[in-house]
């Protein structure tokens, strides 16, 4: 139920920017596919879905406040906006800190410190590799997949989509 409420809030934030909305749904789909493949316990899945739903939620305010959606601004505003949304929908306080941390660090590889963050990283990259220049160089792309993907399901999805 928190998932549906968070999706409604996400749609409100991105109502004038459907690109972000579509991107978010694509990332959520991959996150859920990875969770299924990795047999993540049901009780942990909602939390990871919420991370995916809110991961780019700071983009609009980053542009409004800083004039740029560059990673550090998006992370900073995302940490705040995700927390506000989760508080508004009544999500348990003890779980909000973790989501806010992941959203607030989601562009920073060195901050990955758990399977929830790793799944978010892989789901986002599965979508974003589509437009990365590295795609045109097969060897570099292989290396990028090796460096970034850790879950068996994520590796399989990345190879199927980008190396076949
Ligand atoms: Fe993203």
């Amino acid at each position: 139920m928190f998932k549906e409420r968070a999706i409604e809030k996400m749609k409100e934030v991105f109502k004038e920017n459907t690109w972000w909305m579509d991107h978010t749904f694509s990332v959520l789909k991959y996150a859920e596919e990875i969770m299924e493949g990795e047999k993540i316990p049901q009780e942990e899945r909602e939390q990871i879905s919420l991370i995916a739903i809110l991961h780019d939620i700071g983009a609009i305010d980053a542009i409004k406040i800083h004039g740029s959606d560059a990673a550090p601004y998006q992370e900073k505003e995302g940490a705040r906006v995700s927390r506000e949304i989760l508080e508004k929908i009544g999500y348990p306080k003890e779980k909000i800190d973790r989501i806010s941390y992941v959203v607030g660090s989601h562009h920073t590889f060195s901050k990955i410190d758990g399977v929830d963050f790793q799944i978010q990283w892989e789901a986002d990259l599965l979508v974003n590799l589509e437009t990365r220049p590295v795609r045109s160089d097969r060897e570099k792309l292989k290396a990028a997949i090796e460096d970034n993907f850790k879950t068996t399901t994520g590796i399989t999805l990345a190879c199927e989509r980008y190396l076949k």
Side-chain angles (χ1 to χ4, degrees), residues 98 101-102 111-120:
R98 178 62 186 168
Y101 168 77
V102 177
K111 288 194 172 173
I112 299 176
D113 61 351
V115 72
D116 52 350
F117 198 152
Q118 181 63 35
I119 290 174
Q120 168 54 36

Side-chain angles (χ1 to χ4, degrees), residues 6 16 32 42 53 72 82 86 92 94 101 107 125 137 148 157:
E16 277 160 22
E32 291 181 338
Q42 286 298 338
I53 293 162
S82 61
L86 291 165
E94 66 276 12
Y101 168 77
H107 283 296
L125 198 56
D137 183 326
N148 285 279
L157 288 168

Side-chain angles (χ1 to χ4, degrees), residues 19-20 23-24 27 55-56 74 106-107 120 124 128:
W19 184 91
W20 285 107
H23 168 77
T24 298
V27 172
H55 81 279
D56 275 335
Q74 220 194 88
H106 82 275
H107 283 296
Q120 168 54 36
D124 207 12
N128 289 340

Side-chain angles (χ1 to χ4, degrees), residues 34-50:
I34 296 171
M35 286 194 270
E36 186 63 34
E38 298 300 302
K39 300 189 169 52
I40 298 296
Q42 286 298 338
E43 62 272 21
E44 290 169 29
R45 293 192 190 187
E46 179 178 59
Q47 173 89 349
I48 298 174
S49 294
L50 288 172

Side-chain angles (χ1 to χ4, degrees), residues 130-149:
E130 190 67 45
T131 53
R132 294 272 168 91
V134 71
R135 267 201 83 186
S136 56
D137 183 326
R138 200 179 158 83
E139 285 314 305
K140 278 190 186 154
L141 182 59
K142 259 189 186 170
I145 290 173
E146 268 169 34
D147 290 344
N148 285 279
F149 288 83

